[in-house]
Amino acid sequence: MTVAQLAYEAAGWGVGELVLDEGQVVWHELPKVSDTDIGVGHHPLVEMLQAYFAGEDVPLGEVPVDLEYDSAFFSRCAEALRSVPRGDVVTYGELAALAGAPGAARAAGSFCARNRLGLFVPCHRVVAAGNLGSYGSYGVGYKRRLLELEGAL
């Protein structure tokens, strides 16, 4: 088993991290402001993420990721969310329906709160019925910035 941890810097966004297992993304930390000096490695995924944060439309949905979650519903949410295109949003209720459980909007919200794959399973594209909803420790401002970058707002 080959596990690699990669740090990357995205201009204007900060420092993020990736963990790969056999070339598959198993964890992604979105960039945030950091005063830590990092050794940024060169890797095609790092270049892809830097291009994304520079505003380019890159095929993140094609990157192999680990979609095994602690429930079948969460796995279906991840699969469904990967199909939501850049520039589009869905509500928590719509995500639940796409995952085969209409009426499970709260459970879809729980999935988003536990998402460990950042942009590869783009929970920032899930909004509340009447507003943007939350975005965990990153905050709604970060979510808004991602949606603006993608042309959804």
Side-chain angles (χ1 to χ4, degrees):
M1 174 159 72
T2 305
V3 176
Q5 184 172 357
L6 304 170
Y8 66 94
E9 189 165 4
W13 292 82
V15 176
E17 292 184 55
L18 288 168
V19 176
L20 307 173
D21 185 356
E22 301 290 334
Q24 185 178 56
V25 178
V26 296
W27 184 73
H28 175 227
E29 179 76 26
L30 290 165
K32 55 188 167 197
V33 176
S34 173
D35 57 5
T36 304
D37 188 25
I38 63 164
V40 178
H42 294 283
H43 188 279
L45 282 179
V46 166
E47 293 169 11
M48 186 179 276
L49 288 166
Q50 289 171 328
Y52 170 87
F53 284 107
E56 294 179 34
D57 185 2
V58 295
L60 295 174
E62 297 174 11
V63 173
V65 297
D66 174 18
L67 295 179
E68 288 189 35
Y69 284 84
D70 52 350
S71 76
F73 174 71
F74 279 13
S75 293
R76 291 192 312 270
C77 280
E79 290 169 12
L81 194 47
R82 289 196 84 189
S83 71
V84 175
R86 178 187 177 102
D88 286 352
V89 295
V90 295
T91 65
Y92 293 101
E94 290 168 335
L95 176 59
L98 288 170
R106 267 195 178 172
S110 293
F111 161 74
C112 288
R114 293 183 188 178
N115 182 20
R116 59 182 161 67
L117 294 169
L119 297 177
F120 301 101
V121 176
C123 283
H124 63 279
R125 295 181 187 155
V126 183
V127 298
N131 59 41
L132 286 182
S134 65
Y135 202 55
S137 65
Y138 289 95
V140 73
Y142 197 100
K143 183 176 190 171
R144 180 183 314 284
R145 194 171 171 207
L146 287 172
L147 292 173
E148 287 171 349
L149 180 71
E150 294 183 351
L153 294 180

